[in-house]
Amino acid sequence: MLINRRTFLYASSLLAVVPKVSLPQLKDTYYEVLLRHTRWAETQYDATAGRYRRTDFGFAVVLGNAVLLTRGTYDAGLAGVEKDVLRDHTLATIKHFAASNLLAGGTEWGKTLFWDTTFQSYFVLAARLLWPDLDAQTRANVEAIARGQADYTTSLGTANDPRSGSWTPNGLTGGHRGDTKLEEMGVYAQALAPGLAWHGDGPGWREAFGRWSRNEAGLPAADLANPSVVDGTPISANTATNLHDTFIVENHGSFGPHYQEELWRTSGRNAVHFLLAGRPLPEVLTRQPNGELLWRTILATMSDAGEPLMPMVNDREHLYGRDVIPLAFRSTVLRDPMAAWAEAALAAKLLAYQAHPPTYRLAKFSGEAKYEPEARAELAISYLLHELRPAAPPVSSHEFFSRAAITIDHGADPGLLTHQSVAAWAGTVTKPGFTKLAWQPSHDDWLFKISGATPMLLPPAAVVQRNTVAYQQVRNGFDATASLLRFADGFAGTATLPTGTIVCALPRPGRVDVHNLALAGILTGSRTYTGSAGRVTVAAREGFRVDELTFAATSARYVRMIGVTPHPTYGYSLFDFEAGQAIATTASSSDPGYEPTRATDGDPATRWAVARAERGRADSWLAVDLGAPTSVQRVRLRWETAAAVAYRIETSLDGSAWTTAAEYPRPDLSTPGWLDVDGKAGFVARSATPFVVNGDTITVPAGLVEGYVRADLRKIAAEPAPVCPAGVVASTADGFLSLFNLTAADATGTVRLRGTRLYRGTQVTTRDGTEYALTLPAATARVEAPWFTARNLPAGITAVVHDGRSVTFRGGPAMFVLTHRDGRTLPVVLGRSERTVIMPGAQAFPSDDLALGRVTFPNSVLPSGMSDPAAAVDGKPGTAWTPGRDGRMVVDLRAVHDVAVSLEWTAGRPPPHTVTYSVDGRTYGSTPSGRYVAVSTQWRPGHASLRTLAVR
């Protein structure tokens, strides 16, 4: 098989780059992955019981089995089991668990909404695929499960399932802070789908399915503005609030893209039942309220592997098998070319991912095998979706990231300021427990570790004040973000640029962790670091880390490891601590079952771990008593995942006075000025303090640090940094002027810059640059674009840049050429009086139009006859909003303002219309103040369309 040969080439390292997977190859890839995963699935088979296990719903592997048994060309060599044996195992399991389900009269499982119904959905689908092979009683039991679950879920109305404990959708009110109820409402809908699909409309089933499905992504300000009817009910009847108003989803207290994808994950599970049963899809699966705005947020965090980045989730990064089905649903059922690209990108890495230990698994990097049955089932559903519906043709990689490029400030509550550009993704995270400047050059989610509590660059301390700006191309002429963060003991600043470059002003050294695995076809198993002091290649560590430290022989009775920097999540844990023959072992703390002696008992499977409550403590320790003074010159430590980032080895004769014998880590490379990481990205520090590489951790010096995607770092580092007033830091990375006021007072003064760039504001030319007049409020940051450069401009000329097209000069005479950042040029003759120059064809960025580029409603599902209202605020003169009969649109200004509104209509007679305002998106009035502005029309065919809605 061609695919098998390709996999062999990966495993033998003859192919260094994972090739693209075409749409026709997707099903073949999924099929092969399922075959290989069967080797893991068969570990769930209990030969004594004669069926797959109940533990963690291991029996859900039957859905993947059913696809393999009824589709494709089965390959027993890849699967590790003969087809007839797999069929016997599968049919016996379906027979048993169909009979043991509570809804069929059994007592073992089922009926409970969380989470039995998810696995019931898989189980019923597997049974339907193998329907001809099932006996009459098993068929009856499967039918009883689907019907009974639909009846039971409908009978609950909007109440909680008493069998599900604390899991609840909170009625139809929902919830969005901390833990969204999007997922829970999706489960209620999911519990109804098999009954509707296979048995038609039972009493109240369809109404309940539509009610829960429509409210999954509920947000009142958006829903109340949308009269579109879905499955016979207007979206404006929705009542739930399951999203933050920037269309971001929280779960477990932080932004969770995995949970945001639940809208399409449950939709995929539901849709496949209808499609396989030959029934029409309910409208709510193809016309999803707020679905596209949710998808926009996912695109704003998308990686090059087709899965969203997880800057605030500890255990959901790189669960490749769980991320396929949302993309498969969107690419096939919704025919989304962006999702088609993402799905193909993910599929291209599946076989290489699967081959990495633990081999065959699909959701391995969470450390929890309980996700495997779901991953198998969802991959099987993705296969079926491609069989049942043609996928959309994908966009190109460049087009994908060009269209996905956006900046979004999600606010202090979600705690994420994000920037997706063509070259990189970056996000300033201020959610408690997750503070960082996360950066993924080239969108490579296997370069830097950014997930969960892993720190990156910024101090991992609580942010007590947050000032942010999100620049947008349509409003500002460029995409960028800037933030100034205040901590209890100081300030930090961040900026992200349209080039993919980041800038940060660090109050103390920062940290960057690098992925380094022998992951054939994805990673080579080593990273090379280059700086002014030389080059070093760091090999990937396989398995748990082992440190062997040697030092000058010293006489000691006691030897201890004392921590300096713990693992950011789990603290410290050692399998082995070898320093001689220990007669006693003690520790600062330990978890029950992980006592200190377990690190010195000679058993490689036992370990010591700090107490759970002490995981954040830096100076935890483990000590051995050798019984008498002994010559010691070596220690060996074998760590668990909770490996110390830094620690000391200390010795003592009496157990009280300790002397440092060795320290970890010992730098692999220490280099000032700049550091290249594997030729993929790098850093420039405006500091004499060096970068330090210790294994897979980079320590970044305090002060101003710039991060670049594939750049000439040596040349950049040689360029002089701006000279600023006290408390202010500036960068001219990529020509943009990033300014940070790291004080609690307003800053004024002069910033000395090299070069001929002119920024918005006032500057005076010098012999080799300009003196920029600075005014920067306390604890704020901003980014200025290099709107112009002026060649041959003599010293002493004052240039006042008003906006992106006009600049006033004085101090002549002078003759020079003015060049706009878009490449336009204009010769300028300046006399002794001032002259204002306007660059022909350029735009006057930034705009004071508050509506430009803002989110508009209705969205995702438009009423009949209405075009997208975003056309009225997109800044393009050739687009316009057609309201449709009595159409109404709303624009979200993102904050409350006192405003003046102007409307520009296309040629023809404008429709009768009114403008109203709202603070909360629920109640509108005529007072021109609010966050939401609505234009209501009595539009009829022949009326003009709205070209521009401007708000100032």
Side-chain angles (χ1 to χ4, degrees):
M1 290 176 63
L2 174 61
I3 296 177
N4 293 343
R5 173 172 169 74
R6 188 174 73 232
T7 307
F8 167 76
L9 292 173
Y10 292 155
S12 59
S13 299
L14 296 177
L15 281 182
V17 179
V18 179
K20 298 294 182 184
V21 173
S22 66
L23 289 176
Q25 288 178 310
L26 275 174
K27 282 203 313 174
D28 292 340
T29 299
Y30 293 161
Y31 195 87
E32 181 174 348
V33 170
L34 285 171
L35 281 170
R36 294 178 181 278
H37 192 255
T38 302
R39 291 180 178 267
W40 176 87
E42 283 301 288
T43 67
Q44 303 302 295
Y45 186 73
D46 183 338
T48 302
R51 57 184 177 270
Y52 296 104
R53 294 183 175 86
R54 167 76 175 88
T55 305
D56 291 330
F57 296 99
F59 65 87
V61 301
V62 295
L63 178 52
N65 295 1
V67 166
L68 295 175
L69 293 168
T70 60
R71 267 86 178 150
T73 303
Y74 188 82
D75 187 330
L78 291 180
V81 59
E82 292 298 325
K83 188 174 184 179
D84 289 344
V85 173
L86 186 69
R87 182 181 300 276
D88 291 343
H89 290 179
T90 303
L91 294 176
T93 299
I94 291 175
K95 180 176 182 179
H96 171 81
F97 284 105
S100 71
N101 187 286
L102 273 67
L103 295 159
T107 59
E108 189 174 7
W109 75 293
K111 193 174 183 178
T112 304
L113 263 74
F114 303 94
W115 298 98
D116 290 44
T117 57
T118 299
F119 297 92
Q120 275 180 186
S121 176
Y122 304 148
F123 184 81
V124 169
L125 191 61
R128 286 292 176 172
L129 289 171
L130 292 167
W131 202 249
D133 297 331
L134 303 183
D135 61 79
Q137 185 57 56
T138 300
R139 290 184 186 180
N141 289 340
V142 171
E143 290 178 334
I145 292 170
R147 287 196 182 98
Q149 189 64 59
D151 282 334
Y152 176 71
T153 304
T154 303
S155 74
L156 294 173
T158 60
N160 299 341
D161 174 20
R163 306 177 56 85
S164 295
S166 62
W167 290 102
T168 168
N170 193 24
L172 283 178
T173 302
H176 67 287
R177 283 191 170 86
D179 288 284
T180 177
K181 300 304 180 182
L182 182 157
E183 180 184 28
E184 283 79 353
M185 290 188 183
V187 168
Y188 272 60
Q190 178 182 277
L192 292 152
L196 277 170
W198 297 105
H199 303 290
D201 193 3
W205 295 359
R206 189 167 297 277
E207 191 278 330
F209 178 83
R211 182 176 68 239
W212 290 116
S213 297
R214 282 192 311 275
N215 277 277
E216 274 187 74
L219 180 66
D223 294 337
L224 291 172
N226 196 340
S228 299
V229 173
V230 176
D231 290 319
T233 303
I235 293 172
S236 56
N238 285 359
T239 58
T241 306
N242 286 335
L243 323 174
H244 284 278
D245 57 19
T246 55
F247 297 90
I248 195 171
V249 164
E250 277 192 288
N251 202 275
H252 301 307
S254 57
F255 167 47
H258 182 88
Y259 298 95
Q260 189 149 321
E261 289 179 308
E262 284 295 328
L263 180 65
W264 311 294
R265 184 173 284 110
T266 55
S267 294
R269 294 169 185 155
N270 295 342
V272 73
H273 281 280
F274 289 99
L275 293 172
L276 204 61
R279 292 184 184 271
L281 291 174
E283 275 191 325
V284 76
L285 292 180
T286 57
R287 305 176 71 218
Q288 299 177 306
N290 302 321
E292 297 315 298
L293 288 171
L294 273 181
W295 176 238
R296 182 190 71 156
T297 308
I298 291 294
L299 293 177
T301 56
M302 186 65 74
S303 77
D304 69 341
E307 65 162 9
L309 301 162
M310 307 282 182
M312 289 185 269
V313 181
N314 279 321
D315 71 339
R316 302 284 174 155
E317 188 179 41
H318 298 129
L319 293 188
Y320 278 9
R322 299 300 314 282
D323 285 317
V324 172
I325 187 172
L327 301 176
F329 171 80
R330 288 197 60 92
S331 68
T332 58
V333 175
L334 300 186
R335 301 278 299 159
D336 179 359
M338 296 285 279
W341 177 88
E343 185 184 10
L346 183 55
K349 294 189 176 182
L350 268 175
L351 284 165
Y353 172 94
Q354 192 179 28
H356 185 75
T359 313
Y360 310 122
R361 283 178 50 186
L362 291 172
K364 63 189 66 179
F365 286 94
S366 69
E368 297 189 68
K370 71 179 183 181
Y371 297 125
E372 291 297 326
E374 283 184 274
R376 181 176 180 82
E378 290 172 357
L379 199 70
I381 291 171
S382 300
Y383 177 97
L384 293 170
L385 288 173
H386 279 274
E387 176 183 86
L388 297 164
R389 294 285 285 252
V395 298
S396 68
S397 178
H398 180 79
E399 184 180 357
F400 179 91
F401 286 110
S402 295
R403 289 171 58 177
I406 196 172
T407 62
I408 308 175
D409 184 358
H410 290 287
D413 198 355
L416 179 62
L417 174 65
T418 186
H419 184 175
Q420 180 77 285
S421 69
V422 173
W425 178 85
T428 301
V429 182
T430 52
K431 194 76 170 180
F434 303 100
T435 305
K436 70 187 75 171
L437 172 55
W439 182 46
Q440 289 292 25
S442 302
H443 316 99
D444 181 357
D445 68 342
W446 287 105
L447 182 57
F448 296 142
K449 297 181 182 179
I450 66 167
S451 66
T454 305
M456 187 170 189
L457 293 170
L458 294 179
V463 174
V464 297
Q465 181 184 356
R466 173 187 188 269
N467 289 320
T468 60
V469 186
Y471 301 90
Q472 294 177 292
Q473 174 68 38
V474 67
R475 298 167 55 79
N476 304 98
F478 62 96
D479 285 347
T481 71
S483 77
L484 208 293
L485 311 178
R486 186 171 189 168
F487 302 91
D489 59 350
F491 299 86
T494 72
T496 65
L497 305 179
T499 54
T501 294
I502 61 168
V503 182
C504 41
L506 302 178
R508 48 187 179 271
R511 167 181 163 183
V512 176
D513 290 300
V514 182
H515 284 292
N516 193 2
L517 296 170
L519 186 49
I522 297 177
L523 295 178
T524 62
S526 65
R527 296 289 191 185
T528 299
Y529 302 88
T530 307
S532 58
R535 175 179 297 183
V536 65
T537 296
V538 177
R541 293 189 178 99
E542 297 298 331
F544 296 116
R545 194 180 90 204
V546 178
D547 300 337
E548 295 205 29
L549 278 66
T550 57
F551 42 88
T554 185
S555 181
R557 174 174 173 173
Y558 302 92
V559 182
R560 73 176 182 182
M561 180 287 299
I562 181 164
V564 174
T565 307
H567 183 282
T569 305
Y570 304 112
Y572 303 93
S573 182
L574 280 164
F575 283 108
D576 297 306
F577 181 47
E578 299 176 10
Q581 188 62 43
I583 65 168
T585 309
T586 55
S588 54
S589 70
S590 63
D591 235 16
Y594 301 91
E595 290 78 17
T597 55
R598 294 179 181 265
T600 56
D601 61 5
D603 184 343
T606 62
R607 60 187 172 92
W608 160 75
V610 297
R612 186 172 296 267
E614 294 280 284
R615 286 178 173 179
R617 175 179 168 180
D619 62 346
S620 295
W621 53 266
L622 179 77
V624 296
D625 179 356
L626 304 179
T630 305
S631 179
V632 181
Q633 58 183 354
R634 169 188 171 276
V635 295
R636 179 178 182 275
L637 303 91
R638 187 167 69 94
W639 296 93
E640 196 253 352
T641 299
V645 175
Y647 63 90
R648 296 191 304 274
I649 297 299
E650 297 181 339
T651 61
S652 175
L653 288 170
D654 59 6
S656 296
W658 295 91
T659 301
T660 298
E663 294 180 287
Y664 179 93
R666 292 170 176 170
D668 292 294
L669 179 66
S670 178
T671 183
W674 59 278
L675 177 72
D676 174 87
V677 183
D678 222 24
K680 297 183 177 181
F683 300 93
V684 171
R686 307 299 179 177
S687 168
T689 305
F691 292 94
V692 177
V693 178
N694 290 302
D696 300 325
T697 297
I698 303 168
T699 300
V700 177
L704 185 76
V705 176
E706 300 158 351
Y708 294 89
V709 184
R710 293 188 174 93
D712 187 342
L713 302 175
R714 186 193 304 272
K715 180 179 178 181
I716 293 169
E719 296 173 356
V723 179
C724 302
V728 173
V729 174
S731 162
T732 53
D734 296 335
F736 289 82
L737 179 59
S738 302
L739 296 163
F740 307 96
N741 182 355
L742 303 172
T743 73
D746 294 348
T748 58
T750 298
V751 178
R752 293 184 59 85
L753 304 171
R754 292 285 292 272
T756 61
R757 302 183 190 96
L758 303 179
Y759 301 96
R760 191 165 61 106
T762 300
Q763 47 249 285
V764 178
T765 59
T766 63
R767 183 177 56 81
D768 57 1
T770 61
E771 292 184 344
Y772 181 82
L774 174 72
T775 300
L776 195 58
T780 61
R782 76 173 191 258
V783 175
E784 297 289 354
W787 287 115
F788 303 97
T789 55
R791 187 158 38 94
N792 300 325
L793 190 61
I797 302 296
T798 297
V800 182
V801 178
H802 304 288
D803 50 42
R805 70 172 182 174
S806 62
V807 53
T808 296
F809 295 98
R810 56 179 178 265
M815 295 178 62
F816 55 92
V817 175
L818 188 67
T819 302
H820 194 271
R821 66 185 293 252
D822 66 8
R824 305 166 196 258
T825 61
L826 186 68
V828 178
V829 177
L830 177 64
R832 296 191 180 278
S833 59
E834 74 175 25
R835 179 182 176 186
T836 297
V837 176
I838 297 178
M839 183 66 69
Q843 289 184 260
F845 292 118
S847 171
D848 62 354
D849 181 355
L850 300 175
L852 262 182
R854 300 302 189 190
V855 168
T856 56
F857 311 128
N859 194 289
S860 301
V861 183
L862 297 177
S864 178
M866 181 184 289
S867 67
D868 189 350
V873 297
D874 63 4
K876 299 176 182 178
T879 62
W881 170 59
T882 300
R885 189 176 184 86
D886 296 330
R888 175 178 180 267
M889 70 166 286
V890 173
V891 60
D892 178 2
L893 306 180
R894 295 295 308 129
V896 174
H897 299 274
D898 294 331
V899 297
V901 174
S902 60
L903 307 178
E904 180 190 347
W905 299 89
T906 58
R909 183 164 57 93
H913 59 273
T914 58
V915 179
T916 54
Y917 312 85
S918 174
V919 170
D920 59 7
R922 297 172 184 264
T923 304
Y924 286 78
S926 59
T927 303
S929 178
R931 169 176 169 173
Y932 302 91
V933 176
V935 178
S936 303
T937 74
Q938 298 174 30
W939 191 92
R940 297 291 185 273
H943 278 144
S945 297
L946 183 61
R947 177 176 287 120
T948 303
L949 163 61
V951 181
R952 292 180 170 84

